[in-house]
Amino acid sequence: MASLATIAAVATIGAAVIGTGVSLYGAHVSAENSKRAGEAEQRTQNMLAQQEEAAGTEALASAQRDQRERKLEGELIMSRQQAVAAASGGGAGSDAPTIVRLMTETAKRSQYGQDSVIYTGESTRGRYNTSAAARRQSGENSFLGGIQGANGAWLSGMGSLAAGVGKVGGLVRDF
């Protein structure tokens, strides 16, 4: 029959082996969780980047619509100016300096308004695209951080495994 000391030594060795196995499994779970968290954050950031790019495209399209409206408004104002000048008897032709000056100023203001809305739309799209690029970089950094965290967890697990094997080896030798 085994002595109480032998049973205690075998139990101690068994506990050390189980502890080492659990520690290694914990390292595996930690590594997987770290990797998955990094991947999930990268997917989230990429999705947000796509949404920001879409918002930038929409802002530019809206500005282009506003530009067309401003151009039409300018043309309508100039047409009205010409009609009023013709109706007043002051002349509406290209030889009438007052109407030419008024229409030239109106055309300049219309063009300025058109250029302004396009500039605003392009600027807004640029800000959205810059933010989208930063989000993608953040996602990439999260992914790489997850991989590095996984590697750290595995190395920690391997260290625990080595320590556990050394402890079990010492217990077996003393047995």
Side-chain angles (χ1 to χ4, degrees):
M1 182 150 166
S3 73
L4 195 53
T6 304
I7 294 172
V10 169
T12 303
I13 293 170
V17 168
I18 290 170
T20 301
V22 168
S23 178
L24 188 58
Y25 179 72
H28 167 72
V29 169
S30 178
E32 280 299 310
N33 287 340
S34 180
K35 181 181 164 197
R36 286 181 182 162
E39 290 170 343
E41 182 62 19
Q42 183 180 34
R43 282 191 304 274
T44 299
Q45 292 300 328
N46 285 341
M47 181 189 65
L48 291 172
Q50 287 175 337
Q51 290 173 348
E52 287 185 350
E53 287 170 341
T57 299
E58 186 177 306
L60 181 59
S62 176
Q64 290 168 338
R65 286 188 300 274
D66 288 348
Q67 177 194 31
R68 285 191 291 278
E69 282 298 314
R70 287 188 185 229
K71 181 179 180 183
L72 179 61
E73 287 171 5
E75 290 170 351
L76 291 173
I77 290 170
M78 288 186 294
S79 176
R80 175 148 170 73
Q81 288 171 334
Q82 193 172 23
V84 168
S88 72
S94 60
D95 60 341
T98 302
I99 190 62
V100 169
R101 183 177 48 78
L102 287 172
M103 291 178 72
T104 301
E105 286 300 314
T106 301
K108 286 180 185 178
R109 286 179 151 249
S110 175
Q111 188 61 53
Y112 178 78
Q114 292 172 54
D115 293 346
S116 294
V117 296
I118 287 298
Y119 173 80
T120 300
E122 288 175 347
S123 177
T124 301
R125 181 181 65 173
R127 284 193 308 276
Y128 277 119
N129 287 345
T130 298
S131 179
R135 285 192 179 280
R136 283 196 174 89
Q137 185 61 55
S138 176
E140 180 70 17
N141 292 344
S142 294
F143 173 74
L144 293 175
I147 296 297
Q148 290 174 346
N151 289 340
W154 271 111
L155 290 174
S156 175
M158 289 298 127
S160 295
L161 176 64
V165 167
K167 183 177 179 182
V168 169
L171 291 171
V172 168
R173 186 181 56 247
D174 291 344
F175 180 64

